[in-house]
């Protein structure tokens, strides 16, 4: 469990929806705002969104699940996105990702059992001229290597 | 003393923020009067972080700067590159669209105006919609997103459509690997895109604009949003654009990690808050686009090129280029390359010159094996095709496309069967699911490539047939163009697909 995240409650969710619903095409902005608050789209938000936008719950579910960004559950406390697109592959991104997963003790992309780190693939950070690229908690890394990423994570996890 | 340190994502990814902090700290420790400006990048990513120091006699560059260099840079004793404008990589370019990128403070409207900004919009305000469209047609500008459709003709369709509301939608969902021109200009010269969209609005009668910007570009989102706020504050946007009495306003919409949303109809569905599923055409978005209204959907670079066309005149722009590819193209040289970065030049430069002379060959020092041009849906090119001039028709003639002008270079360690498999796998993951050739074909493509890898001699014919079906039967470029990388890899590098093994049997 992420201690740093609030438990979703319908009052807050309704307020988040209300803040965005005046926009043309408000659904994606609402979902982004919810994810910014909870690091995932709480199941309990779906009927509230559906009601506010006069959609069916199935339609909202369909949109949420279409996009890679929206999570069903919060990620780990730290998130590493490893670029797996062609330009990064040409500079050894596949090997780098494999070494990183190995260093962290992950079998594949996903979250460590202690919830500290999530590693996920991303298809292009636009850093194609300084590949391979990665993002650690929103910090971009060019010409990245797995020890540097692991070091950054260790630093982020260390008590301040 | 002015010190420029880029805020561009690539520079930041290579440590520019730490360098900026170190220079500020060093300057304050010495009590020096130093103005630190976070500019965009010049596009020479191989030199980033590129610090530029201006003591009043031009900007001197310090490449690959690290925080430890801060003191020596301020002393002027660090190894320098000389005047930045004279660095051959930059000096050889024709910078029209990217003229200001890396030069100015991206969020300073006064810097923008001092470097020619808003001159195009002021000129357009004095013209009729028809005259604006005519100017764009004369420039020969074609869609820089990849399709190459004449921009002026698209605008004219929207201009002539009758509706109570029209929209300008900027496609900033730059998902293609090997491309970063959109990101670079949004981070380095955001007012240029705003000005281009405002001119499009005046031309067509559209009063609302959206920049659909991918979530993988957090820096670009921040810079664009702030630039829009400032443009609104300065009445460049709003209900009285530059005191013309005309209305145009815009906002950023953030994507959600779906590659297919770079396809214009899928983007429109996403903008409306739906699944990013591709729409059948017709109706054209120009007639029934965003929210069912007439909509211009243009790539970032197409729109960001409009201001310079109006500032310098359409003919000036059209005088550059080759054949039906007029003007300049920002080449993005990426992947396994010694000098990666953005290189804006007139159409027509041979592929080999781009890869070897400009890019300097591979970063690994090994021979170039293949160059994928135009992103994940673009064909691979082999060195024997390096005399192909960079242009829409010229690349089409070689069985490829220029796409968004990204070039991803691979050295001889690349496994082209693996790359072909990746193309199919990517298509399978990113398919919106609407049409069968893409949704099912990509999955079967992965399986068939695995059969080839396992040595099944019948599988190549199946793959060829499957690609044919995807090419002819898919609704959009995702399924329709995935065969480009797959079939070009098979055609150019048969040895990676077990050709010798098959011949020996």
């Amino acid at each position: 469990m992420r201690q740093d995240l609030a438990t979703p409650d319908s009052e807050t969710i309704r307020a988040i929806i209300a803040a965005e619903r005046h926009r043309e095409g408000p659904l994606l902005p609402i979902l982004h705002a919810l994810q910014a608050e909870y690091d995932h789209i709480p199941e309990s938000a779906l009927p509230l969104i559906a009601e506010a936008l006069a959609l069916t719950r199935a339609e909202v579910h369909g949109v949420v699940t279409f996009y890679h960004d929206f999570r069903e559950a919060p990620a780990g406390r730290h998130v590493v996105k490893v670029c797996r697109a062609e330009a990064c592959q040409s500079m050894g991104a596949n090997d780098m990702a494999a070494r990183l997963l190995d260093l962290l003790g992950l079998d594949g992309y996903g979250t460590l059992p202690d919830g500290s780190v999530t590693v996920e693939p991303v298809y292009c950070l636009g850093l194609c001229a300084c590949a391979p690229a990665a993002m650690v908690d929103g910090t971009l890394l060019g010409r990245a290597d797995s020890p540097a990423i692991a070091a950054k994570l260790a630093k982020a996890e260390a008590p301040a | 003393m002015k010190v420029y340190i880029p805020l561009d994502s690539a520079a930041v990814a290579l440590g520019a923020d730490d360098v900026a902090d170190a220079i500020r700290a060093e300057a304050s420790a010495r009590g020096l009067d130093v103005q630190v400006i976070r500019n965009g990048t010049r596009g020479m990513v191989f030199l980033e972080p590129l610090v530029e120091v201006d003591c009043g006699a031009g900007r001197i560059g310090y490449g690959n700067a690290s925080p430890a260099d801060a003191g020596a840079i301020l002393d002027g004793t660090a190894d320098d590159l000389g005047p930045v404008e004279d660095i051959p990589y930059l000096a050889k370019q024709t910078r029209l669209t990217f003229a200001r990128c890396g030069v100015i403070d991206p969020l300073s409207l006064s810097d923008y105006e001092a470097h020619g900004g808003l001159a195009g919009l002021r000129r357009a305000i004095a013209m009729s919609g028809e005259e604006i469209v005519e100017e764009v047609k004369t420039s020969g500008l074609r869609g820089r997103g990849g399709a190459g459709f004449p921009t002026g003709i698209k605008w004219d369709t929207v201009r002539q459509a009758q509706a109570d509301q029209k929209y300008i939608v900027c496609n900033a969902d730059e998902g293609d690997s090997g491309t970063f021109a959109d990101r670079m200009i949004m981070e380095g010269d955001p007012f240029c895109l705003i000005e281009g969209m405002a001119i499009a609005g005046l031309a067509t009668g559209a009063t609302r604009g959206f920049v659909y910007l991918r979530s993988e570009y957090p820096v670009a989102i921040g810079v664009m949003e702030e630039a829009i706020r400032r443009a609104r504050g300065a009445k460049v946007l709003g209900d009285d654009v530059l005191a013309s009495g005309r209305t145009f306003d815009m906002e950023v919409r953030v994507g959600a990690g779906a590659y297919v949303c770079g396809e214009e109809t899928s983007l429109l569905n996403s903008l409306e808050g739906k699944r990013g599923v591709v729409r059948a055409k017709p109706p054209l978005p120009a007639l029934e686009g965003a929210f069912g209204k007439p909509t211009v959907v243009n790539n970032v670079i197409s729109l960001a090129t409009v201001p310079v066309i109006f500032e310098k005149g359409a003919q000036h722009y059209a005088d550059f280029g080759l054949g039906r590819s007029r003007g300049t193209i920002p080449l993005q040289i990426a992947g396994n390359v010694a000098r990666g970065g953005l290189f804006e030049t007139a159409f027509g430069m041979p592929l080999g010159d781009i890869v070897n002379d400009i890019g300097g060959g591979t970063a690994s020092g090994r021979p170039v094996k293949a160059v994928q041009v135009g992103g994940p849906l673009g064909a691979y090119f082999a060195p024997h095709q390096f005399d192909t001039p960079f242009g829409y028709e010229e690349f089409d003639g070689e069985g490829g496309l220029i796409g968004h002008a990204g070039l991803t270079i691979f050295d001889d360690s690349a496994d082209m069967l693996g790359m072909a498999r990746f193309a199919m796998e990517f298509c399978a993951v990113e398919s919106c699911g609407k049409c069968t050739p893409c949704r099912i074909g990509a999955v079967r493509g992965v399986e068939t490539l695995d059969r080839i890898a396992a040595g099944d001699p019948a599988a190549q014919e199946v793959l060829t047939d499957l690609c044919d079906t995807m090419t002819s039967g898919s609704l959009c470029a995702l399924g329709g163009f995935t065969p480009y990388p797959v079939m070009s890899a098979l055609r150019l590098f048969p040895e990676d697909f077990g050709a010798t093994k098959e011949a020996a049997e």
Side-chain angles (χ1 to χ4, degrees):
Chain A
M1 278 300 287
R2 291 270 300 271
Q3 304 297 327
D4 55 321
L5 296 174
T7 309
D9 67 276
S10 54
E11 199 181 327
T12 314
I13 292 173
R14 281 184 211 278
I16 290 170
I17 295 170
E20 304 289 342
R21 68 172 293 184
H22 66 281
R23 302 170 76 153
E24 286 174 290
L27 185 46
L28 256 61
I30 288 172
L31 294 174
H32 276 302
L34 284 168
Q35 180 140 314
E37 181 77 14
Y38 300 116
D39 201 44
H40 74 296
I41 308 298
E43 183 73 26
S44 60
L46 302 192
L48 301 178
I49 298 170
E51 188 192 344
L53 303 186
L55 297 169
T56 66
R57 207 176 143 171
E59 283 171 313
V60 179
H61 175 81
V63 172
V64 173
T65 52
F66 183 86
Y67 297 97
H68 298 305
D69 279 5
F70 301 129
R71 303 177 195 281
E72 287 177 10
R77 288 190 296 280
H78 302 287
V79 177
V80 183
K81 291 176 191 267
V82 186
C83 186
R84 295 284 319 282
E86 285 86 347
C88 286
Q89 287 192 43
S90 78
M91 290 298 283
N94 290 352
D95 287 348
M96 184 191 79
R99 276 197 302 274
L100 177 68
L101 294 173
D102 205 40
L103 270 174
L104 294 171
L106 275 167
D107 285 337
Y109 294 106
T111 304
L112 283 170
D114 69 356
S116 58
V117 179
T118 296
V119 182
E120 52 192 29
V122 62
Y123 293 91
C124 204
L125 294 166
L127 304 175
C128 318
C130 52
M135 182 149 78
V136 181
D137 289 342
T139 304
L140 296 165
L141 288 176
R143 296 185 199 121
D145 60 33
S146 38
I149 296 171
K152 228 175 175 52
L153 284 170
K155 201 172 154 196
E157 266 294 274
Chain B
M1 179 193 233
K2 287 181 180 172
V3 179
Y4 295 82
I5 307 157
L7 54 67
D8 179 272
S9 294
V12 168
L14 295 169
D17 285 350
D18 293 340
V19 173
D21 288 346
I23 288 193
R24 282 198 192 97
E26 189 69 27
S28 109
R30 297 178 183 197
L32 289 174
D33 180 23
V34 170
Q35 189 190 352
V36 173
I37 296 161
R38 301 302 300 267
N39 56 333
T41 179
R42 300 272 193 166
M44 297 182 285
V45 178
F46 63 102
L47 293 178
E48 294 293 355
L50 172 62
V51 175
E52 299 176 38
V53 176
D54 186 355
C55 296
R59 288 158 69 159
I60 303 297
Y62 298 89
N64 306 115
S66 75
D69 302 329
I73 288 173
L74 290 176
D75 289 339
T77 57
D79 283 342
D80 67 69
L81 299 160
V84 174
E85 306 275 351
D86 296 344
I87 296 172
Y89 198 94
L90 200 53
K92 284 186 207 162
Q93 300 189 38
T94 303
R95 286 263 173 135
L96 297 179
T97 308
F98 283 80
R100 282 174 296 262
C101 193
V103 176
I104 63 167
D105 174 348
L107 288 171
S108 164
L109 199 51
S110 55
D111 259 19
Y112 181 70
E113 279 200 79
H115 287 80
L118 298 182
L121 178 56
R122 290 207 168 87
R123 186 173 157 228
I125 283 170
M127 298 163 83
S128 70
E130 197 173 353
E131 286 167 344
I132 296 174
V133 166
E134 210 43 54
E135 186 79 355
V136 176
K137 283 185 184 169
T138 305
S139 76
L141 180 66
R142 294 167 68 179
R144 296 287 188 253
F149 188 82
T151 305
I153 293 176
K154 191 184 274 187
W155 287 19
D156 212 20
T157 309
V158 176
R159 183 183 71 82
Q160 293 184 51
Q162 299 297 317
D164 56 349
Q165 178 69 58
K166 301 177 188 178
Y167 296 97
I168 308 297
V169 172
C170 170
N171 183 346
D173 196 49
E174 186 179 49
D176 289 353
S177 177
T179 66
F180 46 86
D182 296 354
R183 178 183 64 63
M184 196 174 129
I185 203 152
M186 289 188 291
E187 292 174 356
D189 194 13
F191 292 121
C192 185
L193 175 57
I194 293 171
E195 184 179 351
M197 288 180 70
I199 294 172
L202 295 178
T204 58
T207 55
R208 299 266 306 132
F210 293 98
V211 180
Y212 185 94
L213 220 170
R214 59 201 299 264
S215 61
E216 293 87 345
Y217 284 179
V219 177
I221 293 168
V223 174
M224 267 325 298
E225 285 186 332
E226 182 57 27
I228 290 171
R229 258 192 299 276
R230 293 185 186 194
R232 206 176 280 140
K235 299 198 183 298
V236 174
L237 293 174
D239 55 14
D240 189 18
V241 171
L242 292 179
S244 64
R246 307 280 298 274
T247 299
F248 186 78
D249 210 335
M250 58 190 278
E251 64 178 282
V252 170
R253 278 303 167 85
V254 178
Y259 174 77
V260 75
C261 289
E263 197 285 330
E264 62 176 358
T265 61
S266 147
L267 183 154
L268 292 170
N269 274 336
S270 183
L271 184 66
E272 293 177 13
K274 299 172 184 157
R275 290 165 67 88
V277 172
V278 173
R279 297 177 185 171
K281 288 191 271 195
L284 291 173
L287 298 173
E288 284 182 44
F291 309 101
K293 303 294 184 184
T295 303
V296 169
V297 186
N298 277 154
N299 172 256
V300 174
I301 301 302
S302 313
L303 288 163
T305 299
V306 168
V308 74
I309 290 171
F310 281 79
E311 181 198 344
K312 306 222 175 196
Q315 198 54 48
H316 177 81
Y317 189 77
D319 284 344
F320 296 95
L322 166 81
R324 289 177 51 219
S325 307
R326 307 313 313 171
T328 58
I329 182 82
L331 303 165
Q332 299 129 80
I333 310 172
N336 195 332
V337 63
R339 291 191 291 271
L342 181 135
F343 191 93
E344 183 177 354
T345 186
F347 280 100
M349 185 179 273
L351 177 58
D353 291 5
I354 300 167
V355 172
N356 293 318
D357 299 351
I358 308 299
T362 62
S364 60
R366 301 172 66 100
V368 174
K369 178 169 183 172
V371 183
Q372 186 176 28
V373 184
L377 306 176
Y380 288 98
F381 281 73
H384 73 266
Q385 297 165 297
F386 273 11
D387 56 352
T388 312
F390 207 90
Y392 292 100
E393 280 71 30
E394 292 72 13
F395 268 58
D396 186 50
E398 283 291 312
L401 48 97
I402 66 169
H404 191 45
L407 300 95
T408 302
I409 295 159
F410 292 81
D411 73 11
D412 62 353
S413 66
D415 161 24
M416 301 312 292
L417 188 149
M419 296 315 298
R421 187 186 189 280
F422 176 78
M424 284 291 190
E425 193 187 355
F426 184 72
C427 180
V429 172
E430 296 299 332
S431 174
C432 81
K434 179 151 179 166
C435 74
T436 315
C438 173
R439 185 184 68 244
I440 309 281
V443 177
R444 294 287 171 263
V446 173
E447 293 165 3
T448 310
L449 282 154
D450 285 343
R451 279 172 57 191
I452 294 174
D456 179 346
Q460 278 202 15
E461 195 188 332
V462 177
L463 182 70
T464 305
D465 188 48
L466 177 67
C467 282
D468 203 37
T469 303
M470 289 176 72
T471 302
S472 335
S474 297
L475 206 48
C476 83
L478 181 50
F481 288 6
T482 293
Y484 272 111
V486 174
M487 292 309 294
S488 59
L490 177 63
R491 200 170 56 241
L492 296 169
F493 307 99
E495 64 281 6
D496 285 14
F497 291 74
T500 49
K501 187 164 45 174
E502 197 184 334
E505 276 166 5

